Amino acid sequence: MLKFFNSLFGRVILALIFGILVGVFFPDFAKAMKPFGDGFVKFIKMMIAPLVFCVVVSGICGAGDLKKVGRVGVKTVIYFEVLTTIALAIGAVLGLVLQPGAGMNIDVKSLDPSSLSAYQDKAKHISGFADFFLHLIPKTAFDAFTSGDILQVLVLALLTGSAISLVGPSAKPVATAIDQVAHVIFKIIGLIIQLAPIGVFGAIAFTTGQYGVASLGKLGLFVVVFFASCAAFIAIVLGLVTWMAGFNIIQLIRYFREEIFIVVGTTSSDAVLPRVMAKLEALGIKKSTVGVVVPTGYSFNLDGFSIYLTLAVIFIAQATNTPLSFQHLALIVGVAMITSKGAHGIPGSAIVILAATLSSIPAIPAIGLALILPMDWFIGIARASTNLIGNIVATIVIAAWEKDIDRERAKSVLSGKIPAELAIQQAEAA
């Protein structure tokens, strides 16, 4: 028991429970706890850009073979597109079969459009593939870091790492310096992550105080269906993919349980990105593979978000008695595949991208977003957790395909023979 309370996992669980209790019995006080949750996420976010840059550059320099790095990147994008399409299809199928919005008979004239104005304005800036790829190029090298856009940092890191490799031995001091900076950043993040229980407490206390536990019961069939869809996707699709790679999804979830609970408390997968990268390397996965797959996944591999997009659109159509044809469904999936790529890094991204998706399908009333908005925080729990687990599985699978993982070490760590913290320390020292 003492070991449990001394672990980060134990402290996060206690913070979740304590935050809910404070929110229930002292709601006014709980609402004032919001800065603790926001502050923790901001602490982590300030280190993400330099960490991704250093890890990717070090990984490319260590890999040596630039063709292999390119091959990993191509396989990663193909894998992401396949899994994202499956996730979009699952959301659509379950929405049609379970019909969470049927019978609501919502009159769109009764919905208040004022709450959506800010989201719809942002949605106008979400465009197609051309704008998306142009956005990958930062205005300046420094702008990639100041904007915090992971994909822009990744592009800059890929160019830097490739250039250092092409220069050869004379550039080795630069590579060594960047690698040492990465070690320092990991140490900084190690200090920040100890604040996770405070951040989780602040976020969950505020939410419970703001909405109340009773509000969970008012969210309706849509939330139940969405949580069930995410659970089914993790258990069946990701479970099968993990098994085909030679690993067990339950062991993976147990190994990353601390990070998953932090995401549950903060609804932000950004908060655990550095820790996830460190723990994947601790499994014996090459730094170059982790550096390419994980940051790319944060924009390309949004499994939970993809389920949410199609399910939410169908829910709005059902709730407003809007008939949907097969052509509409095909258009929903096609548009969602494009708009979802711009999700990461946009404030209120779920509603913004949903608004952008609906704007491309005039038959469905965009004002129906007002039905989703009050539920968004609670939906974000499953959405962010599914995204995180999807990216973890993707890294394992790509590493297995490329033979970039020490399978014996991975199985020892996942089975608990090598404690997680010790595995991380060994990986950092290597």
Side-chain angles (χ1 to χ4, degrees):
M1 185 63 71
L2 184 62
K3 184 179 178 182
F4 174 80
F5 289 130
N6 285 334
S7 68
L8 179 63
F9 175 66
R11 295 197 299 273
V12 168
I13 293 295
L14 286 175
L16 274 169
I17 296 171
F18 190 45
I20 292 172
L21 292 175
V22 170
V24 170
F25 295 107
F26 309 99
D28 292 333
F29 174 76
K31 292 175 187 178
M33 296 296 101
K34 190 175 186 292
F36 288 108
D38 293 345
F40 171 69
V41 174
K42 287 185 72 175
F43 256 129
I44 294 290
K45 281 188 173 183
M46 76 177 183
M47 303 306 302
I48 288 178
L51 175 71
V52 168
F53 178 81
C54 292
V55 167
V56 174
V57 172
S58 297
I60 293 173
C61 294
D65 186 357
L66 292 180
K67 289 183 179 179
K68 182 174 182 179
V69 174
R71 187 171 67 246
V72 169
V74 171
K75 286 185 177 180
T76 297
V77 173
I78 292 173
Y79 171 90
F80 288 163
E81 287 305 312
V82 171
L83 266 289
T84 297
T85 303
I86 293 172
L88 289 167
I90 285 176
V93 169
L94 290 178
L96 292 171
V97 172
L98 301 177
Q99 299 190 353
M104 292 184 70
N105 300 317
I106 299 294
D107 181 1
V108 294
K109 295 179 182 178
S110 66
L111 299 176
D112 179 15
S114 61
S115 61
L116 300 174
S117 57
Y119 298 105
Q120 289 174 328
D121 288 342
K122 292 177 183 176
K124 294 175 183 176
H125 301 291
I126 306 298
S127 307
F129 276 119
D131 287 335
F132 170 73
F133 283 110
L134 284 175
H135 179 70
L136 294 179
I137 307 170
K139 294 178 181 177
T140 67
F142 296 105
D143 188 57
F145 293 96
T146 56
S147 67
D149 191 308
I150 293 178
L151 281 181
Q152 289 187 352
V153 174
L154 181 60
V155 169
L156 185 61
L158 288 170
L159 290 172
T160 305
S162 300
I164 291 173
S165 296
L166 291 171
V167 169
S170 62
K172 187 174 181 181
V174 178
T176 302
I178 292 174
D179 187 58
Q180 292 303 311
V181 171
H183 281 77
V184 172
I185 293 173
F186 271 120
K187 288 297 181 184
I188 294 172
I189 290 166
L191 296 174
I192 296 173
I193 206 69
Q194 298 305 314
L195 301 175
I198 298 174
V200 168
F201 165 75
I204 204 72
F206 165 77
T207 303
T208 309
Q210 179 77 16
Y211 301 105
V213 173
S215 63
L216 288 170
K218 300 176 184 177
L219 298 180
L221 186 58
F222 173 74
V223 176
V224 174
V225 170
F226 178 66
F227 271 69
S229 301
C230 290
F233 181 82
I234 292 169
I236 300 172
V237 179
L238 296 183
L240 179 61
V241 171
T242 307
W243 174 78
M244 291 172 65
F247 295 95
N248 185 293
I249 189 68
I250 304 255
Q251 287 185 332
L252 270 180
I253 292 174
R254 188 187 304 125
Y255 177 60
F256 287 97
R257 63 185 183 275
E258 294 171 357
E259 291 69 35
I260 293 170
F261 271 96
I262 291 172
V263 169
V264 167
T266 62
T267 66
S268 171
S269 54
D270 280 349
V272 296
L273 184 147
R275 175 88 172 176
V276 165
M277 293 177 75
K279 290 184 83 167
L280 285 167
E281 288 181 31
L283 287 177
I285 300 176
K286 287 186 178 179
K287 189 178 294 185
S288 57
T289 300
V290 173
V292 170
V293 179
V294 176
T296 307
Y298 265 61
S299 280
F300 279 89
N301 191 39
L302 304 172
D303 297 329
F305 190 86
S306 298
I307 295 170
Y308 165 79
L309 271 184
T310 48
L311 184 60
V313 172
I314 290 172
F315 167 77
I316 291 170
Q318 292 170 348
T320 56
N321 296 317
T322 303
L324 286 177
S325 65
F326 177 79
Q327 287 78 7
H328 284 139
L329 292 173
L331 183 60
I332 290 169
V333 173
V335 170
M337 286 184 67
I338 299 172
T339 54
S340 63
K341 299 300 182 289
H344 185 77
I346 300 174
S349 61
I351 299 297
V352 173
I353 301 301
L354 184 53
T357 304
L358 285 172
S359 67
S360 302
I361 310 167
I364 303 174
I367 189 62
L369 285 169
L371 298 171
I372 304 287
L373 194 56
M375 311 175 186
D376 193 60
W377 192 92
F378 298 100
I379 292 169
I381 293 173
R383 190 170 56 217
S385 301
T386 306
N387 289 344
L388 173 66
I389 295 170
N391 283 323
I392 289 169
V393 170
T395 311
I396 296 282
V397 170
I398 299 296
W401 285 351
E402 286 294 309
K403 296 182 174 56
D404 281 346
I405 183 171
D406 184 336
R407 288 184 174 272
E408 293 303 316
R409 176 177 175 80
K411 289 181 179 179
S412 295
V413 174
L414 291 175
S415 64
K417 292 179 181 178
I418 301 177
E421 294 303 324
L422 176 59
I424 293 173
Q425 292 172 9
Q426 291 173 344
E428 289 178 351

